[in-house]
Amino acid sequence: MYIAAEEVELAGSETDEYVAFEEALRAVQENVPVLSAEEVGVTESAGFVVAEDIASKVSSPPVDVSLMDGFAVSSNATAGACEENPVQLPITGEAAAGRQSASVGEGECVRIFTGAPIPAGADAVIPVEECEETDGKIIVKSAVTPGRHVQPAGENFHAGEMLLRKNTLIGPGAAGMLAAAGIEKAVVFGRPTVAVIAVGDELVKPGAPPAAGKVYGSNLTVLAAWL
């Protein structure tokens, strides 16, 4: 890709006719000033570039949480469980996201929902599809291992961990990560105001009647969309 030198003045260019794309890009980058920083809410931050490093305020998740709907158990209580020798555990409580969870006593279980904190005394979750529930208890036919279907505290990131470095472009996923980290506002570089001009006697605006020899200025739309 080449840009005609007579159409674009480049400081320090010694080329008489054409300037390579890489040289043109370098000249633009060297001569366009960085815009001042500003604060934006994380909901509106996607598409901005980070102006300073951002670290998390909290750990995510803050505590061990369940990855499944099912029953929180102590893995020790399921030792030796099999089809021929199932283990029965009474359901003694319920754990839901956003609420303090009931503790799990020895030989007991607690009904738990996805995202709920793992109750004290439990170290694993049995999905509801993998056990039978009857008469206020569950029947477990296979032993479970510690940590099964449990997301450990801080697995996504820890409090104080660096999330985004300066000059990073914020995408939708990164904006969500900042929100999960307790970040309300991000310091970003301002967005430039850009004008796009299409030149050529043959160009007409889309929607106008195309007179003889005229074409619609589609490149203007493409460039505006990319910007």
Side-chain angles (χ1 to χ4, degrees), residues 148-171:
R148 187 160 184 249
H149 299 305
V150 173
Q151 183 178 22
E155 185 178 55
N156 295 326
F157 48 78
H158 293 280
E161 182 176 337
M162 191 62 59
L163 300 180
L164 295 178
R165 292 288 186 182
K166 181 179 177 180
N167 296 327
T168 301
L169 176 66
I170 302 176

Side-chain angles (χ1 to χ4, degrees), residues 120-160:
D123 63 359
V125 173
I126 303 176
V128 66
E129 301 88 353
E130 296 182 10
C131 61
E132 298 178 20
E133 180 181 353
T134 179
D135 298 328
K137 59 182 179 291
I138 62 171
I139 300 175
V140 183
K141 297 182 179 181
S142 61
V144 297
T145 55
R148 187 160 184 249
H149 299 305
V150 173
Q151 183 178 22
E155 185 178 55
N156 295 326
F157 48 78
H158 293 280

Side-chain angles (χ1 to χ4, degrees), residues 13-199:
S13 173
E14 298 179 356
T15 305
D16 293 328
E17 295 184 359
Y18 293 99
V19 175
F21 170 76
E22 290 77 11
E23 185 179 352
L25 178 60
R26 176 187 56 77
V28 170
Q29 291 174 332
E30 290 177 353
N31 289 279
V32 174
V34 176
L35 298 180
S36 58
E38 60 185 65
E39 275 193 340
V40 297
V42 292
T43 305
E44 295 80 34
S45 66
F48 284 91
V49 173
V50 176
E52 61 181 33
D53 295 346
I54 303 178
S56 176
K57 293 183 177 181
V58 298
S59 295
S60 175
V63 296
D64 295 353
V65 296
S66 175
L67 293 172
M68 302 288 288
D69 290 346
F71 299 91
V73 301
S74 167
S75 56
N76 291 333
T78 69
C82 60
E83 289 284 346
E84 296 75 21
N85 184 35
V87 171
Q88 297 187 21
L89 303 174
I91 305 170
T92 59
E94 182 176 284
R99 299 211 309 254
Q100 184 68 33
S101 300
S103 60
V104 174
E106 184 176 354
E108 300 175 345
C109 71
V110 165
R111 188 185 306 277
I112 195 166
F113 300 97
T114 302
I118 300 297
D123 63 359
V125 173
I126 303 176
V128 66
E129 301 88 353
E130 296 182 10
C131 61
E132 298 178 20
E133 180 181 353
T134 179
D135 298 328
K137 59 182 179 291
I138 62 171
I139 300 175
V140 183
K141 297 182 179 181
S142 61
V144 297
T145 55
R148 187 160 184 249
H149 299 305
V150 173
Q151 183 178 22
E155 185 178 55
N156 295 326
F157 48 78
H158 293 280
E161 182 176 337
M162 191 62 59
L163 300 180
L164 295 178
R165 292 288 186 182
K166 181 179 177 180
N167 296 327
T168 301
L169 176 66
I170 302 176
M177 177 178 65
L178 294 179
I183 308 296
E184 180 184 6
K185 294 183 178 181
V187 179
V188 300
F189 292 112
R191 282 178 174 158
T193 299
V194 181
V196 183
I197 302 172
V199 295

